[in-house]
Amino acid sequence: MTTPPAPPPVPASAAPPAASASTPAALTSAPVPADRGPASRAAAPSAARSAQKRRPRSSPRTPLSPRPSVPLTLVTGLVLVYTLLPLAWLFINATKDQKGLMDSFGLWFAGDFNLWDNITRTFSYDDGAFVRWLLNTLLYVAAGAGGATVLAVLGGYALAKFAFPGRRAVFAVVIGAVAVPGTALAVPTFLMFSKMGLTNTPWAVIIPSLISPFGLYLMWVFAAEAVPTELLEAARIDGSGELRTFFRIALPLLMPGTVTVLLFSMVATWNNYFLPLIMIKDPDWYPLTLGLNAWNAQAQTAGGEPVFDIVITGSLLTIIPIVAVFLLLQRYWQSGLAAGSVKE
């Protein structure tokens, strides 16, 4: 009987790969389909896309959407509390009468809400002296702060856009004037004004307020960057005069800096205390700062009536115009008005 021949040996390359220890048993034992149909091949990409949609994506952090900082948030909150706490104290105590100020906690209301009564009494006390002091303060602000802003805008624009001999010397004088505090000049100013006979008059407060070295320096720097020289040269080529060029082209571009200087000058003049103190002795020309201080000092004089309730109410009424001006002029605080106006 003939023995059948043995089958030829299978090459090692054709043998199926052995299952490794890390390969799951289900994958090694499950039969692999020979061919998937068109429907199964089309379903695989759609399933992958749906899985990618379900997977949460972390938005990239950019300078416009930075990662929130907890320490910075805490510091900002502390600064906010530090800023608003005096205003809250002022409003709360303006609702109390003289007895409630002494018997209640400073950061909470008393039993009676006397805000309107305190306001009425503030305007009528001492023959309406508060109204007179308010009008004096408005006069000093309109003439002093308004004039200082006009001079700062004109001077800053001229120093930034015109070349003339002595320009560096003017710059050195302006920087030096910024470094000198106003209180150091109060006594020399008083001696000079007393020789001229201007003390105890409104001019003694208005004239020194017209000089604002910081406002001049601020407008100088702002005009150098905000007003392109190419725009001015184009206007001059078209036949525009210097005044027309300034009012029609430069002044609208200088509006943000002008408003900033105006606000700084207004706040400085509105809160000015030391200069009127040494210049004015007549109570009829007192600003609000001196008038409220005179009312506050009544309790320390012999037979004086303590009026701390109307002093606090008057202080609350004093800050309302400044807050209103800041809110009304806020829309002018914008930068980049000339961006893109000149193609370089």
Side-chain angles (χ1 to χ4, degrees):
M1 189 167 71
T2 307
T3 304
V10 179
S13 59
S20 60
S22 60
T23 306
L27 294 180
T28 57
S29 59
V32 180
D35 187 13
R36 291 181 295 181
S40 61
R41 286 196 301 267
S46 61
R49 285 195 298 268
S50 61
Q52 290 179 358
K53 291 181 180 179
R54 289 193 300 266
R55 187 182 303 120
R57 292 184 178 180
S58 59
S59 58
R61 298 296 178 180
T62 63
L64 297 179
S65 59
R67 179 176 283 105
S69 174
V70 176
L72 183 60
T73 303
L74 293 177
V75 172
T76 306
L78 292 177
V79 172
L80 181 64
V81 172
Y82 177 79
T83 305
L84 296 181
L85 187 61
L87 299 179
W89 181 91
L90 191 63
F91 175 77
I92 291 173
N93 288 274
T95 63
K96 304 175 184 178
D97 56 6
Q98 186 69 26
K99 184 176 181 301
L101 285 174
M102 304 302 173
D103 298 341
S104 62
F105 179 58
L107 291 177
W108 196 246
F109 299 93
D112 298 330
F113 192 83
N114 298 315
L115 179 60
W116 180 250
D117 295 337
N118 291 341
I119 293 175
T120 305
R121 188 181 173 207
T122 300
F123 281 104
S124 61
Y125 184 77
D126 196 9
D127 296 330
F130 184 85
V131 178
R132 184 166 61 251
W133 297 337
L134 177 60
L135 295 178
N136 294 339
T137 304
L138 293 176
L139 172 64
Y140 299 149
V141 169
T149 303
V150 172
L151 294 178
V153 172
L154 295 176
Y157 172 76
L159 290 171
K161 295 303 175 182
F162 293 95
F164 55 89
R167 186 179 178 184
R168 292 181 178 271
V170 174
F171 179 77
V173 170
V174 171
I175 294 299
V178 171
V180 177
T183 54
L185 301 176
V187 174
T189 304
F190 172 76
L191 295 177
M192 180 177 62
F193 276 44
S194 62
K195 291 289 185 179
M196 301 170 61
L198 295 177
T199 56
N200 205 25
T201 63
W203 296 109
V205 179
I206 294 174
I207 294 178
S209 301
L210 294 175
I211 309 302
S212 176
F214 177 73
L216 177 61
Y217 174 73
L218 182 62
M219 288 307 304
W220 185 351
V221 175
F222 187 80
E225 299 294 334
V227 182
T229 307
E230 292 81 356
L231 284 179
L232 303 181
E233 293 176 351
R236 290 163 184 158
I237 292 174
D238 291 340
S240 176
E242 293 297 335
L243 288 178
R244 184 179 181 183
T245 302
F246 173 75
F247 285 105
R248 297 293 299 272
I249 297 177
L251 190 59
L253 299 176
L254 294 175
M255 189 57 66
T258 304
V259 172
T260 303
V261 174
L262 177 62
L263 289 176
F264 282 150
S265 301
M266 286 184 59
V267 173
T269 307
W270 191 275
N271 296 330
N272 197 359
Y273 174 78
F274 188 67
L275 182 64
L277 178 65
I278 65 175
M279 291 290 186
I280 298 177
K281 300 301 178 184
D282 187 1
D284 291 338
W285 290 112
Y286 276 180
L288 285 172
T289 51
L290 286 185
L292 293 177
N293 182 69
W295 280 355
N296 188 50
Q298 282 187 184
Q300 302 176 2
T301 60
E305 177 189 6
V307 287
F308 298 120
D309 52 345
I310 65 174
V311 170
I312 294 177
T313 307
S315 301
L316 178 64
L317 296 175
T318 301
I319 67 174
I320 292 178
I322 294 294
V323 175
V325 169
F326 266 86
L327 294 178
L328 290 176
L329 298 181
Q330 187 179 13
R331 63 190 183 95
Y332 293 102
W333 284 5
Q334 47 187 319
S335 59
L337 291 178
S341 60
V342 178
K343 183 178 180 181
E344 298 181 357

